């Protein structure tokens, strides 16, 4: 393609030179001796001009190619660096997200475990409280099931006063089953009533009131069917 362009340049230059010779009357000189040398000089000059133009084109093309290569290389380098930076940012963001999700999952698991433990503890506490209520109701039924309601609450209050005294055991079960203290517990009658649920609703309510703090005997730790103290029904509390 460049060769054809040089040929066109040479032809144009040669035609212009020939036209100039015709217009200025130098055609006669061309016929005289030495005329060939002149034409040769013109041809050489034209060829030199064409070669110079060709070389200039080559230099320009080479410069353009170098600039294009350099620019393309620069663009590729910048794109590569940008891609690397974006990839690194994406990786860091992903790792951060994973870490945050892990922490959130761990926190959720911790909260769930604590909640489950609290619920289990509350359920166990509720079950223990219900068991204490039923045990106290069974004792009240055995000791005062035939007594007025106030006398039933008073028997339950004696048990609670012992639990809170610091002198007796600090649980209802230990107080009720303490050796030598309550006859129904020693004879097995208490266990029979408790197992069968033979206590009355009145005894259950009296137990609930005593557990809630009702104390008609004002801190008494003992009761009996005879003797001294505050009398409620057939029992004396002291």
């Amino acid at each position: 393609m460049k060769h054809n362009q040089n040929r066109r340049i040479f032809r144009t230059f040669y035609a212009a030179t020939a036209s100039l010779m015709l217009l200025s009357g130098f055609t006669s000189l061309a016929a005289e001796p030495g005329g060939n040398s002149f034409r040769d000089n013109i041809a050489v000059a034209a060829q030199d001009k064409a070669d110079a133009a060709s070389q200039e084109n080559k230099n320009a093309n080479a410069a353009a190619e170098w600039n294009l290569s350099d620019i393309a290389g620069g663009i590729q380098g910048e794109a590569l660096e940008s891609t690397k930076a974006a990839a690194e940012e994406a990786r860091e963001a992903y790792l951060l997200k994973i870490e945050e999700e892990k922490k959130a999952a761990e926190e959720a698991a911790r909260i769930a475990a604590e909640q489950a433990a609290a619920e289990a503890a509350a359920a166990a506490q509720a079950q223990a409280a219900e068991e204490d209520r039923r045990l106290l109701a069974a004792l009240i039924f055995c000791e005062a099931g035939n007594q007025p309601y106030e006398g039933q609450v008073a028997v339950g209050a004696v048990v609670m006063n012992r639990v809170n005294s610091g002198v007796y055991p600090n649980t209802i079960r230990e107080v009720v089953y303490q050796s030598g203290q309550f006859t129904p517990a020693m004879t097995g009658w208490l266990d029979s009533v408790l197992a069968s649920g033979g206590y009355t609703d009145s005894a259950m309510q009296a137990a609930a009131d005593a557990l809630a703090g009702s104390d008609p005997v004002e801190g008494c730790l003992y009761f009996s069917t005879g003797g001294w103290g505050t009398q409620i029904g057939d029992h004396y509390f002291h």
Side-chain angles (χ1 to χ4, degrees), residues 6-228:
N6 293 336
R7 291 182 63 185
R8 286 196 297 271
I9 294 171
F10 174 75
R11 289 174 181 174
T12 302
F13 180 77
Y14 185 80
T17 304
S19 298
L20 181 61
M21 289 174 62
L22 289 172
L23 292 174
S24 58
F26 283 104
T27 52
S28 59
L29 293 176
E32 295 178 358
N36 290 335
S37 177
F38 180 75
R39 287 195 297 270
D40 291 341
N41 289 336
I42 293 174
V44 170
Q47 184 62 45
D48 290 342
K49 184 70 174 180
D51 291 342
S54 176
Q55 185 62 41
E56 183 177 351
N57 287 335
K58 289 181 180 180
N59 293 338
N61 289 335
E65 291 175 358
W66 184 88
N67 290 335
L68 181 60
S69 176
D70 184 58
I71 292 172
I75 293 174
Q76 292 176 358
E78 292 177 0
L80 181 60
E81 290 299 322
S82 178
T83 301
K84 287 182 178 180
E88 184 61 25
E89 290 179 0
R91 176 177 175 275
E92 292 178 356
Y94 174 75
L95 293 177
L96 180 60
K97 180 181 179 181
I98 293 298
E99 184 65 22
E100 290 176 349
E101 290 177 350
K102 179 181 177 182
K103 290 181 178 180
E106 291 175 349
E107 181 65 13
R110 182 188 65 80
I111 292 174
E114 291 180 352
Q115 183 176 358
E119 291 175 353
Q125 185 176 3
Q127 182 177 358
E130 181 63 17
E131 289 176 356
D132 284 345
R133 181 186 177 190
R134 293 181 183 280
L135 176 60
L136 189 58
L139 179 67
I140 290 172
F141 174 78
C142 292
E143 292 283 9
N146 61 346
Q147 298 298 307
Y149 183 73
E150 185 181 13
Q152 295 181 36
V153 175
V155 169
V158 167
V159 174
M160 296 307 299
N161 290 338
R162 289 190 180 189
V163 170
N164 297 322
S165 68
V167 177
Y168 290 89
N170 60 2
T171 68
I172 292 174
R173 174 168 291 277
E174 289 177 328
V175 167
V176 169
Y177 285 103
Q178 188 175 17
S179 179
Q181 298 301 309
F182 296 99
T183 302
M186 293 185 291
T187 62
W189 183 29
L190 175 64
D191 290 338
S192 178
V193 171
L194 183 62
S196 65
Y199 40 80
T200 61
D201 291 341
S202 177
M204 279 289 286
Q205 185 58 53
D209 289 345
L211 286 166
S214 179
D215 183 9
V217 293
E218 299 180 352
C220 290
L221 299 176
Y222 308 95
F223 67 90
S224 62
T225 55
W228 57 276

